[in-house]
Amino acid sequence: EADIYQTPRYLVIGTGKKITLECSQTMGHDKMYWYQQDPGMELHLIHYSYGVNSTEKGDLSSESTVSRIRTEHFPLTLESARPSHTSQYLCASSAYRTGPNTEAFFGQGTRLTVV
Amino acid sequence: KQEVTQIPAALSVPEGENLVLNCSFTDSAIYNLQWFRQDPGKGLTSLLLIQSSQREQTSGRLNASLDKSSGRSTLYIAASQPGDSATYLCAVSTGANNLFFGTGTRLTVIP
């Protein structure tokens, strides 16, 4: 079982609110990712990090921001939630080394609904 | 840019059948390929990882193969069960461990 946790699992929030989705892993992984996935659709990479103080934007433009102050923690923040942000957000991690044995592990996801 | 395709998009089989899911990728310069399972509304569970130098990996009733030169992988599920119903995703890892996902195959095993 992967040791990567996301909270909350479900969140319903009003438009304009600021929210932070939490992601923590206890595997000591350097690389962490955030994906966005609409129901029945493919995953889109929105942010990733190579390690502490590293954050990069992914393939899909997103109004969210991330921070990486500690290795184990990679929170995602929406300053002003909108209905278009309604989606499932998945966090993942992997050991950062360019080799063939780097397996990625995913959290259970946060399903966000903005009303 | 790496593109990953999964065929079929959806598959329904009666319980007990053996089945094969397909994954193809356009750039053979990969480090590894992972197969994941996703239940509705949940995260991804890693099933198998095949390193670029390997041809196949097995875990229980699952067997994944990799033909890197032709850009193909298959996931074989033996003696399917209703509990196998889920969406199966393949992902390839390239330099700097970037993951490229396919769109998935939604499997339904009918009791």
Side-chain angles (χ1 to χ4, degrees), chain B residues 9 13 15-16 19 25 30 38 47 53 56 74-75 87 92 94 104:
Chain B
V13 299
E15 182 177 0
L19 60 101
F25 47 95
I30 65 170
Q38 186 176 31
L47 297 173
S53 59
E56 66 178 283
T74 61
L75 179 67
T87 295
V92 296
T94 62

Side-chain angles (χ1 to χ4, degrees), chain A residues 31 33 35 37 88 90 95-97 100-104 106-108 111, chain B residues 31-32 34 36 38 41-44 46 49 51 96-99 101 103:
Chain A
K31 193 155 184 185
Y33 317 72
Y35 289 85
Q37 184 184 35
Q88 174 158 257
L90 293 165
Y96 177 45
R97 54 180 184 270
N101 201 27
T102 47
E103 188 172 1
F106 279 76
Q108 284 297 302
R111 181 168 296 282
Chain B
Y31 284 110
N32 61 48
Q34 267 185 271
F36 294 90
Q38 186 176 31
K42 299 288 182 63
L44 277 65
S46 180
L49 177 143
Q51 298 179 27
N97 296 335
N98 286 329
L99 284 173
F101 280 88
T103 51

Side-chain angles (χ1 to χ4, degrees), chain B residues 11-38:
Chain B
L11 179 65
S12 290
V13 299
E15 182 177 0
E17 267 202 11
N18 304 324
L19 60 101
V20 175
L21 308 180
N22 297 292
C23 172
S24 61
F25 47 95
T26 54
D27 186 348
S28 61
I30 65 170
Y31 284 110
N32 61 48
L33 183 145
Q34 267 185 271
W35 281 94
F36 294 90
R37 168 188 173 133
Q38 186 176 31

Side-chain angles (χ1 to χ4, degrees), chain B residues 73-86:
Chain B
S73 176
T74 61
L75 179 67
Y76 174 83
I77 302 177
S80 58
Q81 303 170 357
D84 295 331
S85 297

